Amino acid sequence: MNIFFNWTVDNYLSLILIIVMAIGSIFALFQWNSSIKIRRTEFLDEIINKLWFDPNMAKTMHTIDNNPSWYTEEFHKGYSDLGYQIDKLLSYFDFICYLYSIKNLSYNEFDVIKYEIDRTCASPSVQAYLWNLYHFSNKIEAGCSFMYIIDYGIKEKIICREFKNNNEDLFNKYLKF
């Protein structure tokens, strides 16, 4: 304690300044953390609004849910509006699965939309479409556009683990690979 009595005014002012800076730094850290939470919430809100309130996305989800056999040989004959909408939805879900895989979406954030992704992965037509795309892209040595949703579906046991095997007993082969 004798040390404090030998200090000059400059020493006391420096100590006070350090304490004020530490308090300010803690306050700034809380503000920064709060702003990150707000931005993450806004981002999740954008995802939800696009998925549930975009008419095309909602219509495509409805097609996947209520028409389990939309993927047929006719699907690849010309690029239809349905093909575009399916690719758009799957791309959106693939991006969400990507964000989740690199931990840019927390489990709780992902859980808000997990049900829709799981329903999509469980669709027999979606699985058949993804299977055809996966094996076609492997044949031409290109990356499959929807690998994150495929990997997610396999990991969650929604898509069978034999999916990546080129077994034509699993799905109808509509693409030439």
Side-chain angles (χ1 to χ4, degrees):
M1 282 298 187
N2 211 3
I3 303 173
F4 291 111
F5 294 117
N6 293 335
W7 279 16
T8 64
V9 171
D10 287 341
N11 293 104
Y12 285 113
L13 289 175
S14 294
L15 179 63
I16 292 170
L17 186 60
I18 289 171
I19 292 170
V20 168
M21 284 179 19
I23 292 170
S25 297
I26 291 169
F27 179 73
L29 183 64
F30 281 122
Q31 288 292 93
W32 178 70
N33 192 28
S34 177
S35 72
I36 286 176
K37 285 181 182 179
I38 290 169
R39 278 188 275 144
R40 289 178 74 93
T41 303
E42 288 170 348
F43 179 65
L44 187 58
D45 184 55
E46 287 176 31
I47 290 173
I48 291 167
N49 279 326
K50 181 153 180 92
L51 183 60
W52 292 336
F53 301 112
D54 177 273
N56 292 327
M57 292 286 227
K59 181 181 175 186
T60 307
M61 280 296 298
H62 184 76
T63 299
I64 288 171
D65 281 343
N66 296 308
N67 184 2
S69 57
W70 57 261
Y71 185 62
T72 64
E73 193 170 11
E74 298 298 313
F75 185 82
H76 293 290
K77 293 183 179 174
Y79 198 65
S80 68
D81 186 49
L82 177 62
Y84 171 75
Q85 293 302 327
I86 294 291
D87 284 349
K88 182 179 174 183
L89 180 73
L90 290 176
S91 293
Y92 195 65
F93 283 156
D94 193 65
F95 179 64
I96 292 168
C97 289
Y98 164 74
L99 292 176
Y100 183 60
S101 76
I102 64 168
K103 302 193 183 341
N104 274 10
L105 281 178
S106 71
Y107 175 80
N108 290 336
E109 291 164 339
F110 184 77
D111 197 41
V112 172
I113 50 178
K114 181 182 185 316
Y115 177 73
E116 282 76 15
I117 294 174
D118 288 359
R119 278 187 7 228
T120 300
C121 285
S123 164
S125 282
V126 168
Q127 288 187 20
Y129 180 53
L130 292 174
W131 182 83
N132 274 270
L133 291 177
Y134 175 79
H135 291 288
F136 178 77
S137 65
N138 279 349
K139 181 185 180 210
I140 62 171
E141 297 179 3
C144 182
S145 300
F146 305 115
M147 277 315 300
Y148 289 99
I149 195 167
I150 291 169
D151 289 341
Y152 168 79
I154 292 170
K155 180 181 170 215
E156 294 296 314
K157 298 179 179 151
I158 302 166
I159 298 173
C160 68
R161 66 175 181 239
E162 293 85 19
F163 180 91
K164 291 185 178 180
N165 301 336
N166 190 356
N167 180 354
E168 292 182 31
D169 293 334
L170 288 176
F171 300 102
N172 290 327
K173 182 178 173 181
Y174 295 133
L175 294 174
K176 294 180 171 112
F177 56 88

